[in-house]
């Protein structure tokens, strides 16, 4: 926490800590209930005596509530785990190193995209005859990385670059209003049903710029 101001990440971390604290309190109270009831729950005569015994009914109800509290505590710990999992992968715009994190993420995505293109190129070279006998759609689906993989990467890169441009403008007064965009590699093909002639025409237009043998 810089300068006493909590960032969004700080608030989420505090939320996870509170959930774990509440879960611990519930678990401790439930354990105390079970411990207090041990002399009775381990007494066979007490538990098998026929008829309604008010104290036994109260003990059962108390332990039922303790079990419910343990289930609630498990849910709280699960929610805390979920928050911490999100924090591990998320970049929040008020993170002190948000710009550096975004640049690193963009570099990873670009590396992933280039590696996928290289794998597809090698596959096309090795399976040229089989691919030539297929339709355009079949060829796309036969590749290790089909078109939708690049579409998703392209969209993600566009979002990350736009976030980076916005943050860089916010941290640099007088910076030009520039936005970095990425053309969707397979956008047209996504707008029509797969397997139709229209789809193949759109797909052909979309993949025409990709490297080929």
């Amino acid at each position: 926490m810089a300068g006493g101001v909590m960032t969004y990440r700080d608030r989420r971390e505090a939320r996870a800590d509170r959930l774990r604290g509440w879960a611990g309190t519930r678990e401790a109270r439930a354990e105390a209930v079970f411990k207090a009831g041990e002399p009775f729950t381990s007494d066979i005569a007490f538990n098998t005596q026929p008829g309604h015994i008010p104290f036994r009914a109260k003990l059962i109800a108390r332990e039922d509530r303790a079990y419910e509290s343990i289930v609630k505590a498990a849910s709280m710990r699960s929610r805390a785990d979920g928050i911490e999992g999100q924090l591990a992968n998320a970049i929040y715009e008020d993170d002190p190193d948000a710009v550096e994190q975004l640049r690193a993420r963009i570099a990873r995505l670009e590396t992933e995209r280039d590696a996928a293109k290289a794998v597809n190129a090698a596959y096309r070279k090795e399976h040229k005859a089989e691919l030539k006998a297929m339709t355009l759609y079949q060829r796309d689906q036969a590749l290790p990385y089909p078109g939708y993989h690049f579409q998703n990467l392209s969209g993600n890169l566009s979002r990350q670059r736009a976030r980076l441009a916005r943050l860089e403008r916010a941290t640099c007064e007088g910076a030009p209003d520039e936005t970095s965009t990425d053309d969707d590699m397979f956008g047209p093909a996504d707008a029509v049903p797969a397997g139709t002639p229209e789809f193949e025409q759109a797909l052909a237009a979309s993949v025409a710029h990709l490297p080929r043998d």
Side-chain angles (χ1 to χ4, degrees):
M1 190 189 311
V5 178
M6 291 188 72
T7 64
Y8 184 74
R9 183 178 297 277
D10 292 331
R11 292 194 295 274
R12 296 293 286 166
E13 288 174 344
R15 173 66 174 171
D17 288 342
R18 286 196 300 273
L19 285 167
R20 293 196 186 283
W22 294 334
T25 298
R26 284 177 173 270
E27 289 163 347
R29 289 176 178 172
E31 184 179 353
V33 168
F34 297 139
K35 189 171 184 62
E38 280 179 359
F40 306 99
T41 55
S42 60
D43 185 337
I44 296 177
F46 176 78
N47 287 286
T48 59
Q49 185 176 352
H52 175 71
I53 302 175
F55 177 73
R56 183 172 62 189
K58 288 181 180 179
L59 178 62
I60 292 172
R62 188 159 57 242
E63 292 199 343
D64 283 347
R65 290 193 296 272
Y67 278 117
E68 291 173 1
S69 194
I70 287 177
V71 171
K72 181 67 174 178
S75 173
M76 289 177 169
R77 290 193 182 278
S78 177
R79 288 162 60 192
D81 289 343
I83 290 172
E84 290 172 349
Q86 292 168 2
L87 290 172
N89 298 306
I91 300 174
Y92 301 112
E93 296 195 1
D94 58 354
D95 283 345
D97 60 345
V99 169
E100 290 75 15
Q101 287 190 69
L102 281 170
R103 286 173 179 163
R105 176 177 286 180
I106 290 169
R108 286 195 301 271
L109 289 170
E110 289 173 339
T111 299
E112 180 183 346
R113 178 197 58 194
D114 293 344
K117 284 184 178 181
V119 170
N120 274 4
Y123 186 90
R124 283 194 295 269
K125 185 175 181 179
E126 184 177 354
H127 300 274
K128 185 179 297 185
E130 300 98 305
L131 292 172
K132 188 174 182 180
M134 298 178 184
T135 66
L136 186 62
Y137 174 73
Q138 289 171 336
R139 286 198 296 272
D140 178 68
Q141 295 302 297
L143 291 172
Y145 294 96
Y148 68 81
H149 180 80
F150 293 100
Q151 183 182 15
N152 292 340
L153 273 175
S154 178
N156 198 2
L157 273 166
S158 293
R159 290 189 295 272
Q160 303 307 324
R161 287 170 176 163
R163 289 186 69 195
L164 177 60
R166 184 169 63 252
L167 280 178
E168 287 177 332
R169 287 197 304 271
T171 55
C172 182
E173 289 186 5
D177 184 16
E178 298 175 355
T179 56
S180 178
T181 60
D182 232 13
D183 292 332
D184 288 336
M185 293 183 177
F186 294 89
D190 192 52
V192 293
T196 63
E198 292 80 9
F199 177 90
E200 295 203 3
Q201 291 171 5
L203 185 60
S206 298
V207 302
H209 66 285
L210 293 178
R212 295 187 178 277
D213 303 331

